[in-house]
Amino acid sequence: MVELLAPAGNFISLRAVLENGADAVYFGLDDYNMRANAKNFTLDDLNEVSKTAQEYDAKTYLCANIILNEKSANKLQSNLEKISTAEIDGIILSDIGLIESTVSNGLEAHISVQENVTNSYTLKTLKKLGAKRAILSRELSLKQITELSAKSPIETEIFIHGAICMAISGRCFLSYGLYGRSANCGDCLQPCRKNWTLTYEEGEDNVVNFSDVEDERFIVTGSDDGSYRTNFFSPKDMCMIEYIPQLMESGVASFKIEGRARSPDYGAMVTGVYREAIDCYLKNPDEYRVNDKWIEELKSVFNRGFDTNFYFNTPFETSEDNQSKYIKKDIGQIVNYYNKVGAAEIRIWDDLSLGDKIMIQGKTTGSITHTIESMQIDGVSVCDVEKGCNVAVAIPTKVRENDFVYKLIERD
């Protein structure tokens, strides 16, 4: 059965994706992974990460997928035994030089998309070196992926949802060139996502266009100063929810959701949607249908619009900013939860009303959403609550003291 692999940027995200059906989680340590700006975990956290995942019978994969210099490689090498002792299942490597050491410490070696694996010869070589799995290049079509998986002597993994980089397999120098912050060392400031200004100089144009793509337009908007702006560096997010049958039949061992730097509610929602879709297909492949609700739910969390990346054609549409349906506003904190009556006491610093949709997040709770149907103050039912007081809210799912509470406000 195919594995659903979800991202965990912190303990809240870890719990959130596991609660929503992840078969495995991937996460980073400081200094080693491609999300240096995420909170990440420490070596001392690994035992807790492992034990949490084991509660759900889920696997754990640690990312060590930056370009490793000698100092970083030596540091990772010296920590492999401790990582193994913590019962982490495997390491995602961008450097094949550490495969042997990884395997000799009882860890699975998974080869990162940064290695840009695109053919069966590479897969056979990785097998000889001891790798168990390779994350295939994101520049491959679904047809190519299916062909490679059939020939591969090791497991294959593909991305099915999330942000796409402007550069081949994420190997980009734009952030380093502009800010001295290397994307290849996990410190990308994402200048590609910014709104860029275009200028055009008159003169001879010797560029010949050989492209066979008919529609080559960029989204360009005029500005008051007479310049023009565009997001042509920024691809839309990948979304393959409509193509689960084709993905399931590709022979791939693992479906990966991108998003370790995104919020716990993003991880919870996206994991839950793909879990439901995969389970529906497994239950009855012949009767499988795409549920429109899934697409709407994916649109409700952070996204830059959706595309199918290189799976069926060459993507050329550019993204805009976050297009999620809701803004998440910090409004309170859980004071207590009363199991017998299924109610949470919330200290709020913003107004709250019946019908409001809230989100509660915490290390043990993960991320849950709830529409308020009942509230009380001092045992008296109320419809509206002003900021600065404590209110009891009926919530069937257990939450915990000090969990964060957010109000979801629909965008105009």
Side-chain angles (χ1 to χ4, degrees):
M1 191 175 81
V2 71
E3 172 188 89
L4 180 59
L5 176 56
N10 54 44
F11 276 110
I12 300 176
S13 294
L14 175 67
R15 183 73 66 170
V17 298
L18 290 170
E19 281 285 338
N20 282 275
D23 297 309
V25 294
Y26 67 103
F27 56 94
L29 289 181
D30 293 333
D31 302 329
Y32 299 129
N33 76 95
M34 294 298 291
R35 294 294 182 273
N37 297 319
K39 188 175 181 182
N40 295 311
F41 297 89
T42 68
L43 275 171
D44 292 334
D45 291 328
L46 293 187
N47 282 306
E48 187 174 356
V49 170
S50 178
K51 287 178 181 177
T52 302
Q54 287 170 8
E55 292 176 26
Y56 300 84
D57 198 26
K59 288 196 168 186
T60 48
Y61 307 132
L62 188 154
C63 293
N65 55 347
I66 63 168
I67 292 178
L68 296 169
N69 58 27
E70 186 70 9
K71 181 179 178 181
S72 298
N74 286 334
K75 187 175 180 181
L76 178 58
Q77 163 82 18
S78 66
N79 286 325
L80 288 174
E81 185 177 352
K82 187 170 184 178
I83 294 167
S84 177
T85 301
E87 298 185 10
I88 299 303
D89 291 291
I91 298 185
I92 301 172
L93 295 165
S94 62
D95 196 318
I96 61 174
L98 284 166
I99 294 176
E100 184 179 359
S101 296
T102 297
V103 175
S104 66
N105 277 279
L107 296 157
E108 296 177 9
H110 295 194
I111 305 307
S112 169
V113 72
Q114 294 285 110
E115 275 293 320
N116 198 35
V117 176
T118 57
N119 61 69
S120 62
Y121 298 100
T122 301
L123 288 163
K124 291 172 184 176
T125 299
L126 292 173
K127 168 68 174 178
K128 292 177 183 178
L129 292 174
K132 181 175 182 180
R133 178 185 296 179
I135 297 100
L136 299 179
S137 169
R138 287 190 288 206
E139 288 73 47
L140 295 174
S141 69
L142 184 57
K143 182 175 183 292
Q144 291 170 318
I145 289 168
T146 303
E147 292 171 350
L148 279 183
S149 295
K151 294 179 180 179
S152 180
I154 61 176
E155 294 178 355
T156 56
E157 177 180 305
I158 55 174
F159 283 89
I160 61 168
H161 195 92
I164 296 299
C165 183
M166 60 166 284
I168 293 176
S169 294
R171 293 182 291 187
C172 178
F173 286 95
L174 189 58
S175 179
Y176 185 80
L178 292 174
Y179 310 117
R181 303 276 289 272
S182 174
N184 301 297
C185 292
D187 201 18
C188 185
L189 292 183
Q190 295 191 321
C192 59
R193 307 299 184 187
K194 297 183 183 296
N195 201 292
W196 288 74
T197 300
L198 295 178
T199 59
Y200 176 76
E201 295 181 6
E202 295 288 346
E204 291 188 15
D205 186 356
N206 296 318
V207 178
V208 180
N209 182 9
F210 293 104
S211 173
D212 59 357
V213 178
E214 294 182 5
D215 189 346
E216 295 182 324
R217 295 171 296 173
F218 294 123
I219 300 173
V220 180
T221 55
S223 300
D224 294 338
D225 61 4
S227 65
Y228 293 86
R229 290 177 168 79
T230 179
N231 292 90
F232 64 91
F233 279 135
S234 181
K236 290 187 175 182
D237 285 359
M238 178 193 296
C239 177
M240 293 297 292
I241 193 64
E242 297 181 74
Y243 303 96
I244 293 298
Q246 295 95 317
L247 295 176
M248 294 291 289
E249 294 162 12
S250 68
V252 168
S254 182
F255 294 167
K256 188 172 194 173
I257 299 167
E258 187 278 337
R260 279 186 294 127
R262 294 193 178 179
S263 63
D265 44 291
Y266 173 89
M269 178 63 76
V270 177
T271 303
V273 166
Y274 279 94
R275 175 79 279 155
E276 185 177 344
I278 291 169
D279 289 348
C280 283
Y281 176 82
L282 291 172
K283 186 177 180 179
N284 193 342
D286 294 335
E287 297 296 323
Y288 177 85
R289 298 290 183 275
V290 177
N291 191 331
D292 292 339
K293 177 193 72 171
W294 296 336
I295 299 171
E296 289 305 307
E297 288 178 341
L298 292 174
K299 288 180 179 179
S300 72
V301 291
F302 186 98
N303 70 88
R304 298 184 180 96
F306 293 135
D307 199 349
T308 55
N309 196 38
F310 288 91
Y311 276 104
F312 301 109
N313 54 25
T314 302
F316 55 89
E317 290 190 79
T318 57
S319 73
E320 298 178 12
D321 295 329
N322 181 15
Q323 297 182 34
S324 65
K325 294 172 61 177
Y326 297 98
I327 298 170
K328 190 171 65 175
K329 185 177 183 181
D330 177 12
I331 64 140
Q333 195 167 27
I334 300 296
V335 176
N336 203 349
Y337 185 77
Y338 303 96
N339 288 292
K340 289 184 178 181
V341 294
E345 181 182 354
I346 307 175
R347 181 171 62 254
I348 62 169
W349 41 81
D350 198 2
D351 297 343
L352 202 59
S353 301
L354 293 180
D356 282 347
K357 182 176 286 189
I358 61 173
M359 179 179 293
I360 302 172
Q361 295 181 349
K363 181 177 177 179
T364 304
T365 301
S367 180
I368 64 170
T369 57
H370 175 72
T371 300
I372 297 178
E373 298 177 348
S374 174
M375 296 191 297
Q376 291 185 353
I377 295 180
D378 296 330
V380 178
S381 296
V382 294
C383 295
D384 302 284
V385 183
E386 295 182 353
K387 61 183 178 182
C389 65
N390 287 18
V391 59
V393 177
I395 301 175
T397 304
K398 183 176 181 177
V399 295
R400 280 87 180 170
E401 182 180 357
N402 295 325
D403 282 356
F404 304 104
V405 182
Y406 305 92
K407 181 161 63 175
L408 298 179
I409 302 170
E410 195 159 357
R411 292 178 183 271
D412 294 332

